[in-house]
Amino acid sequence: MIAIEDGKKIIEDVLKAYPEKTKAKREKHLAVHQDDCSTCGVKSNVKSAPGVMTARGCAYAGSKGVVWGPIKDVVHISHGPVGCGHYSWSTRRNLADGIPGVNNFVPFHFTSDFQERDIVFGGDKKLEKIIHEINELFPLNNGLSIQSECPVGLIGDDIEAVAKQTSKDIGKPVVPVRCEGFRGVSQSLGHHIANDSIRDHIIGTKKLDNKSKYDIALIGDYNIGGDAWEAKKLLEEVGLKVRSIWSGDATLEMLQTAPDVKLNVIHCYRSMNYICRHMEETYGIPWVEINLFGPTKVAESLRKLGELFDESIKSNVEKAIEKNMIAMNKTIEKFKPRVGGKKVMLYVGGLRPRHTIGAFEDLGMEVVGTGYEFGHKDDYERTKDYIKDGVVIYDDVTAYEFEEFVKKINPDLVASGIKEKYVFQKMGKPFRQMHSWDYSGPYHGWGGFEIFSRDMDMALNSPTWQLVTPKWRKGST
Amino acid sequence: MSVKTVEEVKEWINTEEYKELNFKREAVVINPPKACQPLGAIFAASGFEKTLPYVHGSQGCTAYFRSNLSRHYREPFSTVSDSMTEDAAVFGGLNNVIDGLRNAYTLYKPSLIAMSTSCMAEVIGDDLNAFIGQAREKGSIPEDFPVPFAHTPSFVGSHITGYDSMLKSILEELNQRQKKSTSVKGVEKTSLINIIPGFDPHVANIREIKHMLGLMGIKNLILADNSDVLDAPLTGEYSMYTGGTPLQDAINASKNKGTIALQKNSTMNTIKYIQEKWEDHPAFNLYPPMGIKLTDDFVEKISDLSGIPVSKELEKYRGRAVDAATDAHQYIHGKRFAVFGDPDEVYGIVSFLLEIGGEPIHVLTATGNKTFQREMELLLASSPHGQGAKVYAGFDLWHMRSLLMTDPVDMMIGDSHGKWAARDANIPLVRIGYPIVDRVNLHRYAVVGYQGAINMITWIVNTFLDELDRNSDDAHFELLR
């Protein structure tokens, strides 16, 4: 960890590069955590400054890409021009079981491919036709969602009316989602809009069969690289029944029947707290936040769940922890000597800027900087429980800031996204993508930690880093 | 609809009946192999020295473009957005341009900012010229700082259209600077030939062109050269600006002897502009030099234009490629291919297949106009190996799947997005084009020029042979192939 005063000096120096107005804005988003500050000392969830190179995406990305996209038996129409759907076509690694084009539409890009005439005359008629064509060509779809792109909201199309009519025509849900990219300040509003659209059109429209007192919904697990499958395994090992997953490898029915479960277990708080609150208020379903990264947090989370059920679950939890810790301790024994003491800087979205800290710490690594792409105040409030004084916090960090922070703080590993990856690798910094697990994973649960540990070791100790400087530039060696 | 169960539908989507239904659709587009305009625009901008691509509009688009390009090249890709939100939808994006240019200029210290637009700015009708002017007045950027701009909504054309618009705009802007700095008209011509690569996702292509011109002793200027930007060495230090065509060279480009563009569909407006506005400057729009014949066309054109005869060295170089083609022809001759991608690339691949005896069957592009369709059909008609082919311009990969299932081929050639259709059809996919996000380093191999012909032969033939070895029974698992 760097000294608090040094951290402040670093931030001050980095801010010098900005014009006055932007400096005044940006300094509110950068801080060194101290005195257990409730918000980690930063402002969040406000507009990005123009021209600074933010990593943030948009509401469409939050809705189509994050919340809706993984629901596999629903056809998601990227409604508008071709680009948005193209870039979000199978680029998130939310895995799904099923036959593509038959009962699984995850690896697809359905677009209305707007042309100039659609902008001029409106796209409602085209949309209606699209819905009928899709329903004919993909008869096993269980519904459709209309993911609005920027122009849709600007030209005044009435997608709600089209959805209502076509839903009647085909006898399946057709959900209009107003997730135009210009709404809000990041992906985050898209999550909220998507949650609301599920609330308004889907939830509670079917009853759960074979109910039991151990029925739970796993909320906010998108099955990146198979995460949700690992999570399900772990929860079912202790006797809980995962009846619904939001929304990794999910079916529409899982969302419809969710209000019949006993407990909502939420992983990605940021993207799905809305639906948990709704189910709590409307159906009286309690919800609990868990963390599935690293054995310490997994065990903590399981015990927390055990407390909410009966003695049999509690005793299963203890047995599962005891059993799985044998492998976990082996993993830690193997990798801790290789990665222990290494410093990490994180910059991710959703939950990972705090949730993964425990997994790094299980390996004896130290997180010295972290920040959220699209976090809110309540994310930073939760973060403070994970970090010590001296951790540098950067909200909606700009490319310039991140680069300078890494140069000055000099961590051993940077863990962030694809747009950041190659910048830091060019600097000779080991890097792991923490959105996509760098095409690896899963990282959730017991099994995930073994893969996580292997991957961090691989990044840090790859012999390729020794190739960067040729021997004739290494001085006397 | 009689089909109900998963098994029934699974069979049904492979049928002729389904194909007919699939080709009847008029509204929905499913898995189109095309991206949108601003992606091409920032790609064009990345080829100029110390140039910062800037997208006026919603920020999410820019995040998508950068991710998309970084995945293909496994390289950083810098682009700023001016992050327009709901208030800008109502009041316009003037303030975003004023603040955005100031921040981008101050923070990233570019020599040129190339502005393109996202849909949002286009739908609300922002006046870029006026906005940039006002930003200058407010001191966001110096008075004479170049900010060429292009209107690049996603609802017009595709990434290749955006490439064309941005390149034209940058060349126009820079060319004006030449006039300003030159007092005497009719400045002497140089012997340099300008080469415009087009939206070319293989960085090695530019290097191959330079190598071939080097073998002929032809001096050249690449407009715009992002081969060093998108294939930067790992040295332990990161620099945002790692190469690109020097701005001063681009300013003087019209004084060079002539211009040859290598992807006619991605440079139509740029070439038209050069032909109309650059004095005494012949400019040609070619199909990419893929395979021997199209490379020969390019070599002939450049020899004519430069007045430099084709060198012995280049003929030797060509001869090696022809040698490779004849050595390997037996593995390609009569094999049936599906090809998809951007029009220029598809034309190049088809031309190459025909000359080596391969049979293109399904030829598909998401874009491509009537001229392209006609020229493609003429090319196919010109060869006995092209008789079984059909051209689908303006179609998508769900169409392609139906074609593969009802009229099987031996191999598909295209970008990574073809992998599902290829898997369903149980055929290999050789990856050429954009984006390739599931294999490493292919962008570091040329597909143009004589070396490009060798590379394509290598990939195609060895893929067939790998398949053969993996699927042979014991008796037919032979050492010699």
Side-chain angles (χ1 to χ4, degrees):
Chain A
M1 207 76 62
I2 51 166
I4 289 172
E5 286 316 308
D6 291 347
K8 286 183 171 171
K9 178 77 173 49
I10 288 171
I11 291 173
E12 200 185 306
D13 287 346
V14 168
L15 283 165
K16 279 180 190 155
Y18 284 108
E20 274 312 311
K21 184 177 161 188
T22 309
K23 182 183 169 187
K25 268 192 191 169
R26 284 303 307 157
E27 65 188 357
K28 299 191 183 104
H29 299 264
L30 308 173
V32 183
H33 183 59
Q34 65 182 113
D35 306 329
D36 206 21
C37 174
S38 71
T39 58
C40 302
V42 295
K43 231 182 139 177
S44 56
N45 195 33
V46 296
K47 269 198 264 183
S48 304
V52 294
M53 217 179 318
T54 171
R56 280 176 167 178
C58 64
Y60 166 90
S63 176
K64 191 267 187 178
V66 174
V67 174
W68 275 102
I71 304 168
K72 62 186 177 185
D73 57 347
V74 172
V75 171
H76 310 290
I77 304 164
S78 292
H79 187 44
V82 73
C84 321
H86 181 83
Y87 308 118
S88 57
W89 177 9
S90 289
T91 49
R92 182 154 170 261
R93 304 200 63 235
N94 44 282
L95 308 187
D97 249 344
I99 305 167
V102 178
N103 57 1
N104 168 17
F105 308 104
V106 168
F108 274 78
H109 170 205
F110 291 91
T111 171
S112 36
D113 193 13
F114 266 21
Q115 300 300 305
E116 215 151 12
R117 61 179 177 274
D118 301 310
I119 302 294
V120 177
F121 299 111
D124 286 343
K125 283 216 171 79
K126 190 176 197 177
L127 178 61
E128 192 185 331
K129 200 168 190 180
I130 284 172
I131 291 166
H132 286 290
E133 285 179 354
I134 289 174
N135 197 47
E136 195 175 8
L137 285 165
F138 304 94
L140 298 184
N141 82 77
N142 286 324
L144 296 98
S145 78
I146 304 161
Q147 306 289 329
S148 307
E149 301 170 1
C150 286
V152 173
L154 297 169
I155 61 177
D157 273 10
D158 188 356
I159 60 166
E160 288 77 11
V162 177
K164 207 168 172 185
Q165 182 56 49
T166 49
S167 177
K168 235 183 249 171
D169 297 345
I170 67 172
K172 294 172 186 176
V174 179
V175 183
V177 191
R178 285 291 184 175
C179 56
E180 289 90 344
F182 59 80
R183 296 191 197 278
V185 302
S186 67
Q187 296 89 312
S188 184
L189 188 63
H191 306 142
H192 199 156
I193 291 168
N195 276 236
D196 288 354
S197 64
I198 295 173
R199 177 197 66 197
D200 294 344
H201 296 270
I202 302 296
I203 202 164
T205 52
K206 249 188 198 171
K207 286 280 157 203
L208 192 65
D209 295 332
N210 306 318
K211 287 204 273 189
S212 87
K213 60 180 176 175
Y214 300 124
D215 291 343
I216 60 166
L218 174 60
I219 312 270
D221 189 328
Y222 301 101
N223 203 29
I224 307 304
D227 276 345
W229 293 326
E230 201 60 42
K232 191 168 182 246
K233 202 161 84 186
L234 157 152
L235 293 166
E236 295 192 336
E237 188 187 8
V238 303
L240 298 173
K241 292 186 173 158
V242 180
R243 302 300 303 272
S244 169
I245 301 176
W246 294 55
S247 56
D249 193 33
T251 59
L252 186 73
E253 192 173 305
M254 287 186 187
L255 311 193
Q256 291 171 315
T257 57
D260 286 341
V261 302
K262 297 289 176 210
L263 177 71
N264 279 326
V265 177
I266 185 167
H267 203 239
C268 182
Y269 169 86
R270 177 70 278 128
S271 57
M272 283 204 172
N273 74 85
Y274 317 101
I275 207 72
C276 288
R277 291 176 200 280
H278 168 70
M279 284 197 256
E280 183 176 42
E281 284 160 20
T282 312
Y283 305 97
I285 304 172
W287 54 286
V288 57
E289 290 177 55
I290 58 161
N291 179 342
L292 297 176
F293 294 105
T296 303
K297 290 294 168 188
V298 169
E300 216 174 83
S301 298
L302 283 178
R303 289 193 171 114
K304 199 159 145 187
L305 289 173
E307 288 302 319
L308 300 170
F309 288 90
D310 52 24
E311 284 307 315
S312 100
I313 300 287
K314 263 190 224 170
S315 109
N316 289 346
V317 162
E318 291 311 319
K319 274 186 238 157
I321 292 172
E322 202 185 325
K323 184 190 127 200
N324 286 290
M325 279 312 289
I326 298 170
M328 293 300 100
N329 285 331
K330 268 192 195 155
T331 301
I332 291 170
E333 254 167 57
K334 180 176 174 190
F335 290 107
K336 201 168 177 175
R338 300 175 58 80
V339 301
K342 300 284 187 190
K343 294 182 174 59
V344 189
M345 284 175 74
L346 284 164
Y347 179 64
V348 215
L351 71 162
R352 292 162 182 174
R354 61 175 180 277
H355 265 45
T356 58
I357 292 175
F360 285 113
E361 287 176 350
D362 283 338
L363 291 170
M365 296 171 73
E366 185 186 20
V367 172
V368 296
T370 192
Y372 294 79
E373 246 183 62
F374 47 83
H376 298 207
K377 194 174 160 212
D378 48 8
D379 289 301
Y380 287 99
E381 282 166 1
R382 284 164 168 74
T383 309
K384 81 170 171 56
D385 299 333
Y386 283 86
I387 57 173
K388 298 185 197 75
D389 281 5
V391 171
V392 178
I393 308 290
Y394 28 81
D395 177 71
D396 184 22
V397 77
T398 68
Y400 173 80
E401 289 163 7
F402 201 17
E403 204 186 309
E404 291 301 309
F405 285 151
V406 168
K407 278 189 210 157
K408 292 180 160 73
I409 297 168
N410 198 24
D412 301 290
L413 176 78
V414 183
S416 186
I418 183 72
K419 300 190 288 298
E420 293 76 32
K421 178 176 171 108
Y422 302 105
V423 169
F424 296 113
Q425 288 198 169
K426 294 286 181 206
M427 288 184 189
K429 283 277 171 229
F431 187 99
R432 287 297 299 184
Q433 287 186 68
M434 292 300 273
H435 300 260
S436 67
W437 304 150
D438 233 320
Y439 323 125
S440 173
Y443 282 178
H444 284 181
W446 305 115
F449 181 67
E450 297 189 20
I451 299 168
F452 172 87
S453 305
R454 179 203 68 192
D455 287 355
M456 297 311 140
D457 173 43
M458 189 160 66
L460 282 160
N461 295 313
S462 163
T464 54
W465 298 117
Q466 291 162 26
L467 307 173
V468 175
T469 310
K471 60 183 175 186
W472 54 88
R473 282 186 180 270
K474 280 179 182 160
S476 56
T477 50
Chain B
M1 189 73 46
S2 59
V3 281
K4 281 192 189 73
T5 68
V6 170
E7 283 310 310
E8 281 173 329
V9 175
K10 198 177 150 188
E11 291 302 315
W12 179 58
I13 60 172
N14 299 336
T15 61
E16 192 65 39
E17 177 197 331
Y18 188 86
K19 185 188 119 185
E20 273 172 38
L21 194 65
N22 188 16
F23 273 78
K24 252 193 244 163
R25 65 184 146 95
E26 292 170 345
V28 68
V29 177
I30 307 166
N31 300 346
K34 64 172 176 178
C36 70
Q37 280 213 75
L39 180 105
I42 67 173
F43 179 93
S46 74
F48 290 93
E49 174 196 27
K50 283 199 83 177
T51 291
L52 180 64
Y54 178 119
V55 184
H56 174 56
S58 300
Q59 72 193 9
C61 317
T62 303
Y64 275 144
F65 310 144
R66 293 178 62 211
S67 302
N68 202 265
L69 287 156
S70 279
R71 288 187 185 114
H72 174 86
Y73 290 101
R74 298 179 198 254
E75 290 287 325
F77 199 101
S78 302
T79 298
V80 299
S81 155
D82 59 18
S83 301
M84 282 167 69
T85 51
E86 275 159 312
D87 53 336
V90 179
F91 301 111
L94 172 61
N95 289 331
N96 298 73
V97 171
I98 291 172
D99 289 348
L101 283 178
R102 186 190 301 275
N103 286 333
Y105 176 77
T106 313
L107 208 50
Y108 296 110
K109 301 180 174 55
S111 300
L112 184 149
I113 290 176
M115 190 182 288
S116 51
T117 51
S118 83
C119 293
M120 180 191 185
E122 290 301 320
V123 174
I124 64 174
D126 276 355
D127 182 346
L128 297 186
N129 197 27
F131 287 6
I132 295 164
Q134 291 191 52
R136 280 187 214 285
E137 279 169 26
K138 300 247 179 198
S140 298
I141 43 171
E143 192 47 47
D144 66 340
F145 185 83
V147 187
F149 60 88
H151 296 278
T152 51
S154 179
F155 50 82
V156 173
S158 72
H159 54 289
I160 62 173
T161 328
Y163 174 91
D164 195 13
S165 302
M166 192 76 247
L167 183 64
K168 170 176 172 267
S169 168
I170 294 173
L171 293 180
E172 231 173 338
E173 163 75 32
L174 293 178
N175 191 55
Q176 279 163 14
R177 282 166 191 262
Q178 177 202 125
K179 283 179 186 155
K180 273 185 211 158
S181 63
T182 316
S183 50
V184 195
K185 260 201 145 192
V187 186
E188 212 178 305
K189 287 274 170 189
T190 77
S191 61
L192 271 69
I193 309 282
N194 302 324
I195 303 286
I196 300 180
F199 185 95
D200 186 336
H202 295 254
V203 287
N205 282 352
I206 292 178
R207 294 181 183 145
E208 168 69 3
I209 295 294
K210 285 183 191 166
H211 178 65
M212 284 179 26
L213 296 180
L215 291 178
M216 281 178 74
I218 296 173
K219 289 193 219 147
N220 58 82
L221 175 69
I222 309 287
L223 293 170
D225 185 354
N226 56 17
S227 61
D228 285 347
V229 180
L230 297 175
D231 188 17
L234 198 156
T235 59
E237 275 173 43
Y238 167 67
S239 163
M240 232 177 93
Y241 307 109
T242 54
T245 303
L247 296 185
Q248 194 54 50
D249 291 355
I251 286 172
N252 294 328
S254 68
K255 292 190 218 163
N256 296 341
K257 199 162 187 180
T259 296
I260 295 180
L262 304 180
Q263 280 191 358
K264 60 193 290 188
N265 288 282
S266 31
T267 48
M268 285 184 285
N269 289 320
T270 303
I271 287 298
K272 194 164 163 244
Y273 151 73
I274 292 174
Q275 286 168 339
E276 283 170 7
K277 304 283 177 177
W278 290 8
E279 283 170 32
D280 190 21
H281 186 105
F284 306 93
N285 220 355
L286 309 183
Y287 275 114
M290 295 175 83
I292 307 294
K293 284 186 180 172
L294 287 175
T295 303
D296 288 351
D297 289 351
F298 166 69
V299 167
E300 195 176 49
K301 181 63 80 184
I302 202 126
S303 170
D304 285 352
L305 183 57
S306 62
I308 295 174
V310 180
S311 67
K312 283 269 176 323
E313 273 304 304
L314 189 70
E315 284 185 348
K316 237 163 98 179
Y317 191 65
R318 176 186 188 277
R320 289 187 200 114
V322 175
D323 190 53
T326 50
D327 286 351
H329 75 274
Q330 70 194 75
Y331 305 104
I332 296 183
H333 193 102
K335 286 274 196 288
R336 293 158 58 85
F337 292 86
V339 184
F340 74 92
D342 290 340
D344 293 292
E345 201 168 76
V346 165
Y347 189 96
I349 293 167
V350 166
S351 170
F352 158 76
L353 289 173
L354 294 174
E355 72 194 17
I356 198 165
E359 294 188 5
I361 303 295
H362 313 303
V363 178
L364 185 143
T365 60
T367 57
N369 55 19
K370 285 200 175 110
T371 312
F372 163 74
Q373 171 118 16
R374 198 182 58 242
E375 287 174 348
M376 192 74 242
E377 280 164 357
L378 278 175
L379 173 69
L380 288 159
S382 73
S383 163
H385 304 289
Q387 303 305 310
K390 193 162 175 206
V391 182
Y392 302 89
F395 286 77
D396 58 44
L397 292 179
W398 193 247
H399 290 121
M400 177 62 106
R401 187 188 182 284
S402 277
L403 295 170
L404 297 179
M405 302 314 286
T406 53
D407 188 7
V409 298
D410 300 302
M411 176 181 280
M412 177 144 79
I413 302 178
D415 70 64
S416 293
H417 287 115
K419 72 190 293 180
W420 289 281
R423 184 174 194 255
D424 288 351
N426 195 25
I427 53 171
L429 169 69
V430 162
R431 287 158 177 80
I432 295 176
Y434 183 88
I436 298 170
V437 288
D438 60 343
R439 294 291 184 271
V440 298
N441 283 340
L442 291 177
H443 65 287
R444 290 188 165 109
Y445 289 83
V447 295
V448 304
Y450 298 123
Q451 182 60 45
I454 296 177
N455 290 341
M456 288 194 287
I457 292 165
T458 308
W459 297 337
I460 291 169
V461 171
N462 288 349
T463 300
F464 278 137
L465 294 179
D466 283 343
E467 292 273 303
L468 185 61
D469 276 345
R470 287 176 62 86
N471 298 319
S472 292
D473 60 25
D474 289 348
H476 294 91
F477 186 75
E478 300 177 65
L479 181 65
L480 308 183
R481 295 288 189 204

